[in-house]
Amino acid sequence: MKSLILTAPRVLEFEDTTDAPLAPNEVRIRTLFSGISAGTELTQYRGTSPFMNRQWDEARRLFTDGEASWSYPIRSLGYEESGEIVELGGGVTGLSVGQRLYGAWHHRSSHIADQVWVRDRLMPEGLDPRAGIFSHIGAVALNGIHDARIRIGDVVAIFGLGVPGQIVAQAARASGAQVIAVDPDPVRRNLALKLGAHEAIGSENAAEAIKTKTNGRGADVCIEVSGAPPALAEAIRAVAYSSRVVAMGFLQGDLIGVRLGEEFHHNRVELVCSQISGTAPEAMHRWSKPRLWRTAIELQAADTLDLIPLITDIVAFADAPALFDRLDKSAPGVMQSVLEF
């Protein structure tokens, strides 16, 4: 088995390990595709993730000073994989070689999993295996939609049209919203329009434009998906009085330009964090993470979500370091990048 590991900030290497024999209840999976997250994974690649600089106290759910929780080498890169079964343990039932599945097992050429785990992640018959890489990021997007509590007919503004923002825009429309997509990049705006957004506008003076489009009311919900403080600031300005802003983006460091004494304070704005470590509290007895993962796949199979057009770059696994370097340098035109095995 060959795995991609991070040995220092911006230093990637390949690690070879011997394939382990299967236990009777296990299945060997050959990786087909592995998606790269241009948000979370780049914070690992750059060494800026808080887990790589501070101690995460799991019991108290608190970051504290002290030894970093994650140390090099990092072997957990990658959480958007699809693969196919190539070998079955002697006690495996109800599965066969060649069946395809989705899941999270990092950027590695193969994976061993328990048969129960595999059965829960089988791909629908005939679905493009590339769709499997969207199980996790799709779940992140759907979780954000649930946290937004969208009502049919709501005007929903999506700030940030990278991969998660594009999925959120499609899911918001499918939920009955009028979607205004916001991004400084005209290429991303055009893609959002092509994939179902009702309108797409630039980020400059977006709040004024949204207020004008809604007769001064503002958006019923704003969802910030870029992780950029200026986008969050504009989302707070653009939302209607006593309405909700969902912060989905991985905001890091100090939030320069977010003025909580202005619209946030005077308009009684509700600011909610959406993050996949937990599901929407009012629905968590029904909506687990596995259900979100499965739904992200099933919505693609039903053509409710059209995510394959978000893939712009597919490169061989051997070229992963060069692809990460391109992403780190914000190469133009790159949306979802994928490693092929």
Side-chain angles (χ1 to χ4, degrees):
M1 182 180 70
K2 188 179 290 292
S3 302
L4 185 68
I5 66 172
L6 185 70
T7 58
R10 293 181 168 88
V11 180
L12 292 170
E13 296 180 9
F14 292 100
E15 181 177 63
D16 292 314
T17 55
T18 302
D19 285 342
L22 295 180
N25 64 324
E26 290 181 332
V27 169
R28 193 182 312 278
I29 302 159
R30 179 176 74 88
T31 306
L32 296 173
F33 299 100
S34 186
I36 296 175
S37 165
T40 302
E41 279 190 74
L42 283 188
T43 68
Q44 294 174 290
Y45 179 73
R46 294 165 175 158
T48 61
S49 170
F51 292 96
M52 304 172 80
N53 297 285
R54 304 194 74 193
Q55 177 70 47
W56 173 243
D57 184 333
E58 181 67 35
R60 296 188 295 165
R61 300 197 65 81
L62 190 70
F63 282 104
T64 61
D65 294 330
E67 184 178 352
S69 291
W70 294 351
S71 58
Y72 296 102
I74 302 295
R75 292 184 167 87
S76 58
L77 288 175
Y79 52 81
E80 304 175 349
E81 285 71 55
S82 67
E84 67 177 6
I85 298 172
V86 293
E87 186 182 355
L88 305 172
V92 172
T93 60
L95 296 172
S96 58
V97 170
Q99 284 184 295
R100 290 171 172 174
L101 67 153
Y102 63 87
W105 56 81
H106 312 307
H107 300 311
R108 57 179 58 153
S109 59
S110 64
H111 178 59
I112 293 175
D114 179 84
Q115 61 177 326
V116 176
W117 186 93
V118 171
R119 284 197 201 96
D120 288 341
R121 290 162 176 80
L122 291 175
M123 297 273 284
E125 190 76 24
L127 185 61
D128 188 323
R130 294 175 297 173
I133 69 158
F134 292 105
S135 65
H136 186 85
I137 196 65
V140 170
L142 295 178
N143 205 34
I145 292 293
H146 290 185
D147 283 318
R149 299 178 184 172
I150 294 170
R151 293 175 171 84
I152 190 168
D154 274 350
V155 174
V156 176
I158 314 297
F159 287 78
L161 299 176
V163 173
Q166 297 280 350
I167 304 174
V168 168
Q170 291 188 39
R173 174 158 185 160
S175 300
Q178 289 289 120
V179 175
I180 301 175
V182 184
D183 198 280
D185 186 343
V187 174
R188 293 186 172 191
R189 295 199 301 268
N190 288 335
L191 180 60
L193 289 171
K194 179 181 177 182
L195 296 176
H198 295 92
E199 297 183 66
I201 62 175
S203 55
E204 187 174 354
N205 299 320
E208 284 87 345
I210 291 168
K211 291 277 186 174
T212 298
K213 292 175 183 294
T214 56
N215 296 317
R217 184 186 64 246
D220 297 290
V221 180
C222 287
I223 307 177
E224 193 290 306
V225 201
S226 69
L232 178 62
E234 201 67 4
I236 290 171
R237 296 185 67 229
V239 78
Y241 179 83
S242 197
S243 295
R244 176 171 289 206
V245 173
V246 178
M248 286 183 58
F250 192 0
L251 295 151
Q252 297 185 76
D254 297 329
L255 304 187
I256 305 301
V258 179
R259 299 183 176 91
L260 298 184
E262 296 184 6
E263 291 85 4
F264 176 78
H265 181 78
H266 290 86
N267 289 340
R268 295 178 57 89
V269 172
E270 181 183 12
L271 180 60
V272 174
C273 174
S274 182
Q275 205 270 351
I276 196 59
S277 65
T279 57
E282 71 277 6
M284 64 188 306
H285 62 291
R286 294 179 284 113
W287 280 96
S288 62
K289 283 191 285 184
R291 184 180 176 188
L292 286 169
W293 296 330
R294 166 59 60 181
T295 302
I297 297 298
E298 291 177 342
L299 288 174
Q300 292 181 81
D303 295 326
T304 303
L305 295 179
D306 184 13
L307 306 187
I308 298 300
L310 302 180
I311 298 174
T312 56
D313 294 71
I314 299 181
V315 306
F317 183 40
D319 295 327
L323 181 56
F324 268 87
D325 182 62
R326 289 183 64 216
L327 292 170
D328 183 38
K329 294 174 180 175
S330 301
V334 178
M335 289 287 289
Q336 179 64 64
S337 54
V338 178
L339 302 173
E340 185 173 12
F341 292 77

